[in-house]
Amino acid sequence: MKIHMGIKVFFNNSCNICRFEINHYKKIADSSLEWVDITNNNEALRLTRKSKKDLLRRVHVINDGKVIGGANAFIIIWSKMPRYRILSRILKVKIFFYIFHYTYEFVAYLLFLKNKKMLK
């Protein structure tokens, strides 16, 4: 028998834009999502086995023991919220996923540059 654990979502709470978006999700998500702020969080580094730079660069989730980042992480998060479930399904379609992935990577990189000072 497989025991399903919740999904841990690793996000940068010190980024105003990231915090705004995650706070929106927190209001509508159920208890299957656990929100983990990566700011000065050595436990997040240990759990994900990612560097501080990697965690700062993209949102990550741990789902079924696997660390997943970027656009795929958002698809997992959205699949757990009724309001966003249809979006997660649409974005799994290859062409839409590519568009979403590259758009996310561009925006995430700009946010990373904005918040890069946290690496010091």
Side-chain angles (χ1 to χ4, degrees), residues 62-80:
I62 295 179
N63 184 30
D64 291 331
K66 295 181 188 119
V67 178
I68 301 160
N72 283 312
F74 271 104
I75 289 173
I76 292 167
I77 294 166
W78 292 335
S79 73
K80 300 299 178 188

Side-chain angles (χ1 to χ4, degrees), residues 44-72:
L45 299 173
R46 188 187 67 72
L47 287 171
T48 61
R49 294 190 170 129
K50 297 284 181 183
S51 69
K52 190 170 183 177
K53 181 181 177 183
D54 288 339
L55 288 179
L56 192 61
R57 176 70 178 81
R58 294 176 185 82
V59 70
H60 288 81
V61 299
I62 295 179
N63 184 30
D64 291 331
K66 295 181 188 119
V67 178
I68 301 160
N72 283 312

Side-chain angles (χ1 to χ4, degrees), residues 20-53:
F20 179 81
E21 184 174 8
I22 295 298
N23 283 340
H24 166 70
Y25 298 148
K26 285 179 178 180
K27 290 175 189 171
I28 62 174
D30 63 23
S31 62
S32 69
L33 295 173
E34 179 185 341
W35 307 96
V36 181
D37 177 14
I38 63 158
T39 309
N40 300 318
N41 186 344
N42 289 328
E43 180 70 3
L45 299 173
R46 188 187 67 72
L47 287 171
T48 61
R49 294 190 170 129
K50 297 284 181 183
S51 69
K52 190 170 183 177
K53 181 181 177 183

